[in-house]
Amino acid sequence: MQMTERAFAIGSLLILLAAGVGVGFIPAWTTEQKPSDIARRRTPLEARGRQVYIQNGCTYCHTQYIRPQDWDHGAVRVAQQGDYVFDRPHLLGSERTGPDLSQEGGLRTDDWHRAHFMNPRFTRPASIMPQFRFLTDGEITALIAYVQSLGGKMADARVTRQKMWHKALAAAFARGTDANFAYLHSLVPEQWRTMPNPYPPTPEALARGRFIYEQSCIGCHGNFGDGNGPAARWLYPKPANFTALRRIGASGGLLYYQIMNGITGSSMPYFKTELESEKIWDVSNYIAVSFIGRSDGNTAPRGADAALEPVDPHAPPPPAPESVTAPPLTSPALQPEVNAARGGMPMPGGGRQGASSPTPAQTGPAQTLPSPRHAHPRPAPERRRP
Amino acid sequence: MRFLDDQPGSAARNWLLSGAVWMSTGVLFGLLAAIEMAAPDFLGGYRALVFGRLRPSHFNTIIFGFLSMSLIGAGLHYVPHLCATRLYSDKLANAAMWLWNLVVLSGIVTFLLGYTSAHEYGEYIWPIDILAVITLLLLAYVVFRTIARREEPLIYVSIWYFGAALLWTAVTWAFMGGTGARYGLNDAVWTWFFGHNIFGLWVTPLALAVAYYVIPREARTPLYSHTLSLIAFWALITFYSHTGTHHLLQAPVPAWQKVIASIDSVMLLISVYAFCANVWLTLRGRLWRVEQSIALKFVFAGTIWFFIVSTQGSAQSLMGLQRLTHFTNWTVGHAHIGLLGFAGFIASGAIYGILPQVTGKPIYSAALANFQYWLMLLGTGGFAIVLTIAGLVQGSAWLNGEALYRVLPELGVYMVARAVLGTFVVVAAEIQLWNVTLTLLGRGPKREPLEPAISLFDQQLVEGQEPEGA
Ligand code: HEM
Ligand code: HEM
């Protein structure tokens, strides 16, 4: 074949145009632009925040879509095409140096974001995200509004829940240390409140706990566990001062629950997606020993020793099977009488969730939301600790 | 040097020089970005130096400054040379040179100020898009007018690629800037169509064209096969233009688009291997020339990187592998193997091979150029290894259910290694600028041993004979 300029120029241009029609225009014409159940338009403030996000190239490190194989941050929902119909330009991203942000809205408080933008190392010592202290106050406010909108209506529901709990937590915090801790502890189910740490605070466990503390907690709770980490300045309610728990006391299980679950409404995030069980027990032991001054690790009531733990010469022998008569324990939700007897959980209007009231999954504000998976009962700040 | 020089060869020289300048600038942005990823507070949080602004400045300066300008400079030399005529207008080509420099410079300024379209590899805002399309059309005009008045009846393969790439890119770029009303995933599909055309239909053909020119010329032997170059050319435009969606294999775009992208990404290997076979068979028995010609050394290494990056690229276009590698540093490694290893080595080869031809001045120091070669090889090879490992660490941890924050601290060592290896590339780029500057100032050795010109057309085409040794 002889290549003339006509052959290579026109011939190849025609191929390119055909390809452009096939993989550019036809998709654009044939793809239905139907909003998904969570898509919504952005407010002007959120749109301004999106501009700040674009200008500073956040999209080079943060993706905005969750894939079926993802487990991390935001993996509450796999991305759908209809989630993006209001996005122009698209900000899907191509690299995940930082976590995915497609469901970031409502996972954390505005305060947390502000501290984090001042310097991400404040809240997360291992982060390599740049500091955004140079942004003006208005830019940061807009950026936070945008970030809180990520996830569409699902995020809105979470933001509403955050705000609702935030009001309660702020009111409790204003009432002083003891009342505040009493309130926070009342939010933890009783089984956890009374559960000691099942593992002994061995030096090895404490060293591991310290490693976790320094990677994940120190920014807010501080070097000395007094709640005066570098991020604390931007947060309200302030991070917990563990040293006050010397007086008040806190079981290993209580700490575990709060670390696992976070404290919705405050800037305390959940760690369940990144710390496995043992790591949470270790960091609970570390906090107990270093800041509270004592750990209930491995004290009664205790079950069977884990085979991994050092042998404890004082451990009781296994009970004789004939001596056990109590019915097997199951979840209180399956045992309405037990639940009612224990007082249940706080419900809207100070009521109690007992035998006759529906479970939170059937009622509450989350019912109307697109995904009622994380429904929570509303808090009742005026309620005293039972 | 006048502002709009009309000296024959002045345009090629100016484009090549600009390429060397932009390489030395672009890698500095890369180094700053690399340092920030290892030590995020190092630069202290200045607005214009935040990572997200350095990153587009880095690769746009590299792609559109260094790679594009050196490879176009080479084209402005070999097109008239292979057509046995002079360039239609050095004046116009010099005007295009200033316009294109303006594109690259305003790109840097706008990114650092925070103006960007946010489309990866198409970050320029629309006024710059318009300027770029005008410049491409101007260049295409000069090139096609030159081809039209050729004395040599046959058109050599380098010219197909160069002429066609100018048209392809002008067209896709015009559509890119011109259809701004896309939302959501349509926008994503369309921008990756464009983004991938920048690698596949712009950088790749420009670099392949230089390889087709430099390799037979420096090896002093005709090209192995005209037929293979035809296959490679038509396969490139047919398959490369369909692959954009392989950047979105895990996004919720329609499955048929992913299937097309995956299949055509693998089919692309026809083009890649036809090219590699052709130029490597051309070098058969003449590999020793690599030690005599620094340009050949760079370009030959570039073809090996091309083989690697494309084979890797086809593999990672398959869902199975991309499940592991997507979103990780593996892709950053791939990008550097492609643009620094393949295109960057060939662009440096173009500078060293063609600058002496257009200016008549020998290279200031072949030893320095050789030193630069080894620095770049070490840097690029190191990038490939370090970033690929980092990517596998990230990918396997995520697939295993590890949270991103738990893996992040493990990456520190790779980020430090990348910054150190990047320093080699930065030093190489500065050496190149120094070498080019002194060459242009005439500080090189006095005489260049003259080698008689040879025909690059393969003998079958010219004489109807089998190529030597076939
Ligand atoms: C047969 C050839 C090739 C194929 C099939 C291929 C395939 C791919 C794929 C699938 C990706 C996306 C990876 C991901 O996001 O997970 C990618 C990214 C990339 N490729 Fe290639 N590649 C090829 C050759 C090249 C060449 C020759 C270059 C350079 C000239 C190149 C430059 C890039 C760059 C810069 C990226 C990064 C895009 C980003 O920022 O996400 N590729 N390639
Ligand atoms: C000619 C040389 C180079 C070329 C062609 C080049 C090209 C590129 C490209 C295309 C990307 C985008 C990658 C992607 O999206 O996947 C990139 C990113 C990057 N490059 Fe380079 N680069 C070069 C040299 C360097 C050097 C010398 C350094 C470091 C000292 C460097 C550091 C970086 C960094 C840190 C990123 C960002 C990676 C990330 O976001 O994780 N590059 N480069």
Side-chain angles (χ1 to χ4, degrees), chain A residues 60 67 87-88 90 94 121, chain B residues 41 120 123 184 187 250:
Chain A
Y60 293 111
R67 312 166 295 169
D87 286 3
R88 196 184 76 181
H90 82 88
S94 64
R121 260 73 56 208
Chain B
D41 288 328
E120 217 176 329
E123 279 98 342
D187 189 43
Q250 301 170 5

Side-chain angles (χ1 to χ4, degrees), chain A residues 169-184 236 244 247-248:
Chain A
L169 293 173
F173 185 77
R175 295 178 57 226
T177 308
D178 287 29
N180 184 39
F181 273 117
Y183 182 65
L184 291 178
Y236 192 87
R247 245 179 325 106
I248 300 165

Side-chain angles (χ1 to χ4, degrees), chain A residues 60-61 94-95 97, chain B residues 23 27 30-35 37 51 55 58-59 62-63 66-67 120-121 199 329 331-332 335-336 339-340 344 383 418-419 421-423 425-426:
Chain A
Y60 293 111
C61 290
S94 64
E95 234 193 299
T97 302
Chain B
M23 181 184 189
V27 292
L31 184 60
L32 290 183
I35 292 176
M37 292 197 92
F51 178 83
R55 196 176 183 283
H58 166 54
F59 60 73
I62 290 285
I63 294 176
F66 167 48
L67 300 176
E120 217 176 329
Y121 301 99
F199 320 140
N329 275 295
T331 309
V332 182
H336 285 95
L339 292 173
L340 166 59
F383 272 10
R418 191 250 306 269
L421 289 162
T423 313
V425 182
V426 171

Side-chain angles (χ1 to χ4, degrees), chain A residues 118-358:
Chain A
M118 287 301 139
N119 187 331
R121 260 73 56 208
F122 286 175
T123 55
R124 178 68 79 166
S127 171
I128 58 167
M129 173 166 150
Q131 23 175 310
F132 288 94
R133 207 186 272 275
F134 60 79
L135 294 179
T136 63
D137 209 48
E139 283 173 318
I140 292 203
T141 306
L143 188 57
I144 293 177
Y146 171 62
V147 168
Q148 297 287 32
S149 81
L150 288 170
K153 293 179 191 163
M154 263 176 101
D156 295 344
R158 286 191 298 259
V159 168
T160 311
R161 179 172 64 194
Q162 279 283 4
K163 292 213 167 112
M164 184 172 82
W165 283 91
H166 178 79
K167 228 189 268 157
L169 293 173
F173 185 77
R175 295 178 57 226
T177 308
D178 287 29
N180 184 39
F181 273 117
Y183 182 65
L184 291 178
H185 292 181
S186 78
L187 301 176
V188 175
E190 189 191 324
Q191 319 81 295
W192 292 95
R193 256 185 278 141
T194 52
M195 184 194 299
N197 193 323
Y199 301 114
T202 60
E204 292 75 16
L206 291 178
R208 295 193 301 260
R210 177 181 175 148
F211 175 75
I212 305 282
Y213 186 84
E214 286 174 353
Q215 272 200 344
S216 305
C217 323
I218 199 165
C220 298
H221 294 285
N223 260 340
F224 307 109
D226 55 359
N228 274 326
R233 217 180 113 190
W234 284 274
L235 308 182
Y236 192 87
K238 297 284 172 207
N241 174 357
F242 298 131
T243 59
L245 293 173
R246 285 167 187 257
R247 245 179 325 106
I248 300 165
S251 72
L254 181 128
L255 295 173
Y256 185 104
Y257 183 89
Q258 288 174 318
I259 295 165
M260 168 178 76
N261 214 36
I263 299 175
T264 305
S266 83
S267 297
M268 168 77 186
Y270 59 85
F271 289 91
K272 62 174 184 146
T273 53
E274 54 189 275
L275 297 180
E276 301 89 328
S277 187
E278 189 195 13
K279 291 180 180 142
I280 303 186
W281 287 124
D282 285 346
V283 75
S284 312
N285 256 332
Y286 175 73
I287 292 170
V289 170
S290 311
F291 307 130
I292 305 181
R294 58 184 181 275
S295 165
D296 57 5
N298 207 29
T299 59
R302 44 180 284 177
D305 265 348
L308 172 71
E309 302 311 320
V311 176
D312 173 2
H314 308 296
E322 326 66 271
S323 71
V324 178
T325 51
L329 276 180
T330 46
S331 152
L334 302 177
Q335 293 187 336
E337 332 74 54
V338 176
N339 196 26
R342 287 187 179 182
M345 289 203 269
M347 280 295 284
R352 274 170 199 208
Q353 177 207 340
S356 54
S357 42

Side-chain angles (χ1 to χ4, degrees), chain B residues 80-161:
Chain B
H81 185 72
L82 291 166
C83 288
T85 179
R86 65 157 290 195
L87 193 68
Y88 170 70
S89 163
D90 271 275
K91 204 171 201 156
L92 279 184
N94 271 317
M97 185 269 306
W98 289 114
L99 289 178
W100 196 261
N101 273 316
L102 187 61
V103 166
V104 179
L105 182 66
S106 35
I108 298 177
V109 172
T110 50
F111 298 147
L112 295 184
L113 290 177
Y115 296 97
T116 161
S117 82
H119 290 138
E120 217 176 329
Y121 301 99
E123 279 98 342
Y124 291 139
I125 52 175
W126 63 268
I128 308 184
D129 286 338
I130 293 177
L131 196 57
V133 174
I134 290 175
T135 316
L136 287 171
L137 291 174
L138 188 59
L139 272 175
Y141 177 72
V142 171
V143 167
F144 280 93
R145 287 304 290 261
T146 309
I147 298 173
R149 63 182 205 191
R150 66 184 182 276
E151 299 286 328
E152 165 68 57
L154 298 174
I155 305 181
Y156 185 67
V157 45
S158 296
I159 301 178
W160 319 340
Y161 277 110

